Structures are given as structure tokens and as C-alpha cells.
């Protein structure tokens, strides 16, 4: 799971590549490297972030009109200068970068070692590169043909970009299972793991599909399949502005994205929800409405924060649609032998649309005949393209590694789908349906209300930043929010945090409670409220510290809490979109107070495109 960039054309390649890599650092930031066609192939690479490499290259002659760059999240081999990409082939003539994992690399390595090859890194990438070179030498073929032959032998996932010293204007690229976008300019081409490195140069892009190989020159793009047949590139126009991927005055992307939520939820509802007419229009869902209405079971498949959104949706779908819902970790689902019956519908939830486990899980389910609907943020991503239908979340690019605005947008989309299906099925009384539509429309404003009180949440964060552990508790619709709050805190601040259903606390975690342990209750006014108030009393009785997310005006909970974070009143089905916001801010401010790099937490990457 790495970021890749490439350029060929009349401009200086290096500044384009470095800028592009900085935009892709959300995908990995263990080490960085570039290869430039600068009167011969020049490779520069270093452990650390893009800025670290940039610093060491100041004053060097980096003049080149073609080059490739890589920001790494280590899979094979620890982060080090040697393991950083690009790698060079044994002859030194080829340089390659790779995103993904070559699963059979040890077998290929053995074959090459027997032929006398030596390796300077521990990476699967160097093995694949030398395998390609060996084929080229043996078969006396051109590089394109050698790549094609090599990839037929490879198992695993990859995007590769290759430079050949003897063809200084050409980049060869291929993909299977990891994303690759080619930007088309006038007499120039750009490559990236997503479109962000090319946004200021072109809006015309081609999303390369699995098992496709591209030969890219400044004025020519040839796309072929592995059978060497030409494919006509499908050029799409990007609907994305540069401002959307910049910090816009905020200290961190994470803070910007938390504060964008009134707008992103609004964007997600816009054109779909009409509370006056009482309609929800979602064309990608409408086509499969019949299958959803008659579904025996909906299976939500996702990872991480998106899995939490699925869990919240389980409560919502069961309540509004009376459909049996199961929520699955994609990584488990893909390796089981799950029972998929006719009439089952899969909803895949993913911000990036590139999470490898989710992608493979839905491919497996699709091959068993299931209908796949995607709730995805990144337009044109692999999961979006693999799904039969679905709905985009329209939250805009999420660059902070910790997911925030994607979660609330996922909840908004999933709630709309549940409302639509419940309405068609007749499982939601008309009055409640209209009430929920009106309330949903007000959510952006209510999120803005919560954000106005961020100063108070910052003060709470300061008070508890030195705690060693946190416990997050919630019931019903707020149980997934407790999980999400705990996940945000551990990712951003490295403080150990556990999320639990509040009632389950008595079956174990209560043993942890003492004066040192802050317990965060997600306790907005809902049908479980009295019960969660009892749980607060249980914590207080054991001298635990209680921090609560509560509904405005809830005096009972205020009385029982050491600190409160307030949200406005909302229907319990919609409350998670509000109650999660103070927890995002709490994690953010604690992370900042502890001096953590909140946009790039250690060991994490934004899209997990490896299993
Ligand atoms: C948490 C986080 C991850 C992602 C997970 C799934 O803040 O960002 O847990 O939610 O990796 O990613 P997507 O939604 O892109 O499939």
C-alpha cells in the first residue's frame, strides 16, 4: 500500500513527482524514492517522508522530462534506504516502483538466485524487476513483452511503473488489484495511485483496469491486455478541484475534514433527499430496489471505520426495513466459506474503494451470484467499479489517515437507503418516515452546532491527554460510535482505548475501572438512556472518571459526569452522525496535545491495498 507517481512530457518531471508524492503520502510514508531519466537512469531514495528525500536532493542536477516516484508503506522488508523504491535491475538499465504484494516472490527469487542473481534489498519488487529483466534477456524481446510474460507468472497484487534507460521518454505500467490513474495532457502524461498528483495539470483521466498494461510516451498512450490486444482507453473527466485536496488554512487535514462535515453531509443529501416531497432519489440503488425490498438478508462488508458505519446501519436497517442484517469484517468474510443464498444482497462500504480485503470479499460474493451494492467515496475506485450498483458518499477527498467525514457520509447514505427501502416495503409508518426525512435534512446544521463548541472539547482533551487507557461505552445506535471513538483515539494518540457495549462492561471490562481510567459514555437521549445512566452510576460507584457525550439539557447525565460534550437533540436513528463528532475532536486534540503526527500516524496508511 504505497503511493506511485509518474510523468513523461515537456515539463520538468522532478517537481511534479515530488509534489504528487506529497499528496499521496496518506498511502504510506515509510520511505521515498524517485527515478529520473537524466542522461541515464538516476535513482534517489531514502527512508523517511517525502520531505526528507527532498532535503537531501537540494542543489542536485535533477533535470529530466520523464520519471517515476514512490512513497512506501513497508510490506516486504523493513523501511530502509535499501528497501525503498525505485529498485534497479541487475544490469542497472531498468528502474521500477511497485504498489502491492507479489505473493510467489520467494519461488521467483529462488529461480533467479539459481541463475546467479543477487539482490540488494529484501523486497518482492526487486525480485519481480529482475525476473522481467531475465525474461527480456532470455527471449531477446522488448520490455513490454517481457513485462507481459512475467505478469502471467505472478500471483498477488500490483501496480508497477518501469523506466528503461534506453527509452528515456517511455513509462511502462501495469495493474492488478492496486489502483492506477493516467492523466492525459497535451503532449504529456501523468500517472498516479489516484488523481491528486495530476489535478492542476489535467482533468482528463483513464482508470486502468486489472490485467491491463500501458505504454506511455509524451504524445501516445497505448493500452493493452495481457493477451497483447489493444484496448481503447476510456477517458473520463474528473469532477474534482485542487482546493479539495489542500489544507485550506487548517493545521491538519484531519481537523479540516472534521470541520467539513456539515458541508459533506449536506453534499451527500443534496439532490437525493427531498423532505417536502417526501422522496429519496438514488439511481444506483433504485435499480436494485426490488432485490433490496425482497432481500432475505443484507450482508454489510467493510473494514475499520467503514465497518463501524456498517454496524450502525445494521441497527437502522433492522428497525426501518425489518430485514435481517449481518455485518462482516471483509478480512474474515473473504477467507470463510460463507453461505450466500439467492436473495442475499451485499453492501460493501469503503471510503477509498480500494481496500484489498473488501474488494476480494465482494468479488468472491459476486462470483457466488450475490448482488453487490457499493457505498463508496472515491469515484471510479475498484470497489465502485466491481459493484453492480450503489451510491457514492460525495464526501470529497479524505486525506487525513484517520477517517472522519467519510464515516458520517456513510451513515447518511446508509440511512437514506434504509429509509427508501423501508418506505417501499411499508415497514416505516408514513409519519415517522416524514419525520426522519425532515430530521435528516437538519443534520448538517446540527453538526455545525457541535463544531462551534470545539473549544470546550479541546479543554477536555487537555485535561485527559496523559491518561494511559480509555474505555468507550455506548448502547444501541451509539454502540458503534463508542467503537469508532476508541479507534480514533488509538490511531491518533497511541493511547490504548477499548470500545464496548455499555451493558457488556459488567462481564469483564469493569475490572479495569479505577480513578485512573477515563470512561467515555456515548449517552445521547434515546430509548436506552435510562439504562446507560445506570451504567454511569456503576462507574462512578467504582471511582471511575466519567466523560459523556450527551444531549443538550440532559441534567441527569451532567450530574453524573466529570465532563460533558454536548450535542443537539436528534432522533436516535440519526444520533450517531452527531455523537461521533465530539469523539473525533477529542481524539484529534489529544493527539495534537501529545505531539503526535495526526495526519500520518505511525504504522498506518490511508488505503490498505494489501491484505
Ligand atoms: C480508521 C480508518 C480505517 C479505514 C479502513 C477501511 O480511521 O481510516 O480503519 O476505515 O482501513 O478503509 P476504506 O473505508 O477505505 O475501505
Amino acid at each position: 500500500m504505497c503511493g506511485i507517481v509518474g510523468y513523461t512530457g515537456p515539463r520538468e518531471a522532478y517537481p511534479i513527482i515530488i509534489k504528487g508524492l506529497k499528496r499521496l503520502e496518506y498511502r504510506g510514508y515509510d520511505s521515498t524514492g524517485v527515478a529520473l531519466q537524466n542522461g541515464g537512469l538516476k535513482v534517489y531514495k531514502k527512508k523517511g517522508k517525502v520531505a526528507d528525500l527532498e532535503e537531501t536532493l537540494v542543489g542536485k542536477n535533477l533535470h529530466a522530462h520523464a520519471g517515476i516516484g514512490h512513497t512506501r508503506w513497508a510490506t516486504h522488508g523493513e523501511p530502509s534506504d535499501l528497501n525503498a523504491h525505485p529498485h534497479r535491475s541487475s544490469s542497472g538499465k531498468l528502474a521500477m516502483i511497485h504498489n502491492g504484494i507479489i505473493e510467489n516472490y520467494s519461488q521467483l527469487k529462488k529461480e533467479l538466485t539459481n541463475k546467479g542473481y543477487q539482490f540488494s534489498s529484501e523486497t518482492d519488487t526487486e525480485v519481480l524487476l529482475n525476473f522481467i529483466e531475465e525474461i527480456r534477456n532470455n527471449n531477446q524481446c522488448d520490455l513490454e513483452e517481457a513485462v507481459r510474460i512475467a505478469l502471467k507468472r505472478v500471483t498477488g497484487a500490483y501496480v508497477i511503473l518501469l523506466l528503461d534507460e534506453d527509452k528515456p521518454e517511455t513509462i511502462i505500467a501495469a495493474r492488478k488489484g492496486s489502483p492506477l490513474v493516467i492523466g492525459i495532457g497535451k503532449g504529456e502524461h501523468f500517472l498516479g495511485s489516484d488523481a491528486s498528483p495530476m489535478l492542476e495539470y489535467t482533468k482528463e483521466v483513464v482508470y486502468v483496469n486489472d490485467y491491463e498494461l500501458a505504454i506511455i510516451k509524451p504524445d501516445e498512450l497505448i493500452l493493452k491486455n495481457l493477451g497483447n490486444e489493444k484496448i481503447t482507453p476510456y477517458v473520463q473527466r474528473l469532477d474534482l478541484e485542487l482546493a479539495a485536496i489542500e489544507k485550506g488554512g487548517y493545521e491538519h487535514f484531519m481537523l479540516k475534514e472534521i470541520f467539513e462535515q456539515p458541508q459533506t453531509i449536506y453534499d451527500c443529501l443534496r439532490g437525493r433527499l427531498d423532505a417536502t416531497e417526501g422522496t429519496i432519489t438514488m439511481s444506483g440503488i433504485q435499480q436494485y430496489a426490488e432485490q433490496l425490498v425482497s432481500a432475505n438478508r443484507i450482508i454489510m462488508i467493510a473494514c475499520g471505520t467503514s465497518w463501524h458505519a456498517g454496524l450502525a446501519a445494521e441497527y437502522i436497517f433492522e428497525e426501518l426495513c425489518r430485514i435481517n442484517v449481518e455485518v462482516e469484517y471483509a478480512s474474515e468474510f473473504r477467507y470463510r466459506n460463507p453461505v450466500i443464498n439467492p436473495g442475499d444482497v451485499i453492501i460493501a462500504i469503503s471510503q477509498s474503494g480500494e481496500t484489498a480485503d473488501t474488494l476480494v470479499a465482494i468479488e468472491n460474493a459476486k462470483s457466488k451470484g450475490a448482488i453487490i451494492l457499493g457505498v463508496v467515496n472515491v469515484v471510479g475506485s475498484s470497489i465502485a467499479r466491481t459493484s453492480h450498483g450503489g451510491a457514492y458518499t460525495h464526501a470529497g477527498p479524505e486525506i487525513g489517515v484517520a477517517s472522519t467525514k467519510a464515516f458520517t457520509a456513510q451513515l447518511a447514505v446508509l440511512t437514506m437507503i434504509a429509509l427508501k427501502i423501508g418506505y417501499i416495503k411499508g415497514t416505516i409508518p408514513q409519519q415517522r418516515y416524514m419525520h426522519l426525512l425532515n430530521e435528516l435534512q437538519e443534520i448538517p446544521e446540527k453538526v455545525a452546532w457541535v463544531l462551534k463548541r470545539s473549544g470546550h472539547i479541546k479543554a477536555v482533551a487537555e485535561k485527559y491527554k496523559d491518561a494511559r487507557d480509555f474505555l468507550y461505552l455506548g448502547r444501541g445506535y451509539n454502540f458503534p460510535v463508542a467503537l469508532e471513538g476508541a479507534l480514533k483515539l488509538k490511531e491518533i494518540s497511541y493511547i490504548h482505548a477499548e470500545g464496548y457495549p455499555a451493558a457488556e462492561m459488567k462481564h469483564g471490562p469493569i475490572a479495569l475501572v479505577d480513578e485512573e481510567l477515563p470512561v467515555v459514555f456515548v449517552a445521547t437521549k434515546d430509548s436506552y438512556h435510562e439504562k446507560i445512566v445506570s451504567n454511569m452510576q456503576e462507574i462512578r460507584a467504582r471511582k471511575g472518571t466519567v466523560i459523556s457525550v450527551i444531549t443538550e439539557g440532559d441534567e441527569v447525565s451532567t450530574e453524573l459526569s466529570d465532563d460533558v460534550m454536548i450535542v443537539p437533540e436528534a432522533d436516535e436513528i440519526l444520533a450517531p452522525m452527531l455523537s461521533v463528532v465530539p469523539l473525533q475532536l477529542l481524539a484529534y486534540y489529544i493527539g495534537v496535545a501529545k505531539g503526535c503526527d495526526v495526519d500520518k500516524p505511525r504504522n498506518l496508511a490511508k488505503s490498505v491495498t494489501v491484505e
Side-chain angles (χ1 to χ4, degrees), residues 1-2 30 72-78 98 100-101 124 610-611:
M1 154 175 84
C2 311
D30 289 345
R72 179 168 186 248
W73 188 85
T75 53
H76 286 76
E78 58 163 13
H98 166 218
I101 291 182
D124 50 350
V610 292
E611 64 172 301

Side-chain angles (χ1 to χ4, degrees), residues 148-213:
R148 207 178 359 262
I149 297 171
L151 293 182
K152 285 185 186 159
R153 283 275 319 272
V154 158
T155 55
Y158 56 79
V159 159
I160 53 169
L161 301 191
L162 269 146
L163 291 180
D164 179 352
E165 187 162 271
D166 296 333
K167 299 235 169 111
E169 288 197 322
T170 307
I171 300 174
I172 299 218
R175 107 154 235 184
K176 186 204 148 199
S178 299
L180 175 62
V181 185
I182 302 176
I184 300 169
K186 286 203 174 71
E188 59 184 347
H189 284 104
F190 306 83
L191 295 104
S193 298
D194 68 26
S196 62
M198 56 200 78
L199 263 188
E200 60 258 65
Y201 314 106
T202 181
K203 291 277 166 67
E204 310 274 293
V205 298
V206 173
Y207 292 95
V208 178
N209 290 309
D210 279 351
Y211 304 107
E212 286 179 357
L213 188 142

Side-chain angles (χ1 to χ4, degrees), residues 303-306 350-352 355 401-403 487-488 491 608:
C303 300
T305 290
S306 298
S350 176
Q351 186 287 126
S352 61
T355 299
V401 165
S403 191
L487 177 63
K488 286 292 88 92
E491 284 181 291
V608 185

Side-chain angles (χ1 to χ4, degrees), residues 363-552:
E363 279 167 350
N364 291 349
K366 197 175 174 184
S367 70
K368 291 184 178 172
I371 301 280
I372 316 287
L373 301 178
V375 172
V376 174
N377 194 36
V378 178
V379 176
S381 56
S382 303
I383 294 173
R385 286 183 295 148
T386 304
S387 303
H388 293 107
Y392 283 116
T393 45
H394 295 315
E398 192 181 65
I399 293 166
V401 165
S403 191
T404 52
K405 63 177 180 173
F407 179 71
T408 45
Q410 286 164 349
L411 290 179
V413 166
L414 290 162
T415 306
M416 280 192 286
I417 301 175
L419 280 163
K420 186 167 184 66
I421 301 308
Y423 184 73
I424 301 174
K425 268 189 93 171
T427 43
I428 317 175
Q430 171 76 12
Q431 214 184 344
R432 177 136 174 76
Y433 173 77
M434 289 306 289
H435 166 75
L436 283 168
L437 253 51
N438 278 297
E439 282 241 333
L440 187 51
Q441 195 169 250
E442 288 169 12
I443 290 293
E445 221 175 288
K446 290 184 178 176
V447 171
W449 190 98
V450 178
L451 291 170
K452 279 204 189 108
R453 284 145 185 87
S454 62
H456 170 68
I457 298 169
K458 190 174 180 186
V460 176
E462 287 289 339
K463 193 165 157 189
Y464 296 102
K465 70 178 191 324
D466 295 320
R468 214 191 50 189
D469 306 280
F470 273 73
L471 188 58
Y472 283 70
L473 301 175
R475 297 180 86 116
Y477 298 99
N478 276 325
F479 160 52
V481 177
L483 295 181
E484 176 59 9
L487 177 63
K488 286 292 88 92
L489 187 71
K490 49 191 156 192
E491 284 181 291
I492 297 306
S493 69
Y494 318 139
I495 295 176
H496 168 247
E498 262 190 73
Y500 243 79
E504 193 64 21
M505 160 190 84
K506 287 203 273 299
H507 302 280
I510 199 164
L512 298 170
V513 175
D514 61 14
E515 295 90 334
E516 305 290 308
L517 182 80
V519 182
V520 180
F521 278 92
V522 193
T524 51
K525 278 266 172 76
D526 55 19
S527 34
Y528 314 86
H529 192 251
E530 275 178 23
K531 304 274 176 210
I532 204 157
V533 166
S534 312
N535 299 135
M536 279 184 203
Q537 276 157 339
E538 284 156 3
I539 297 293
R540 283 210 75 99
R542 284 153 187 89
K543 301 202 174 0
T545 305
V546 174
I547 308 167
S548 309
V549 177
I550 60 165
T551 306
E552 189 186 15

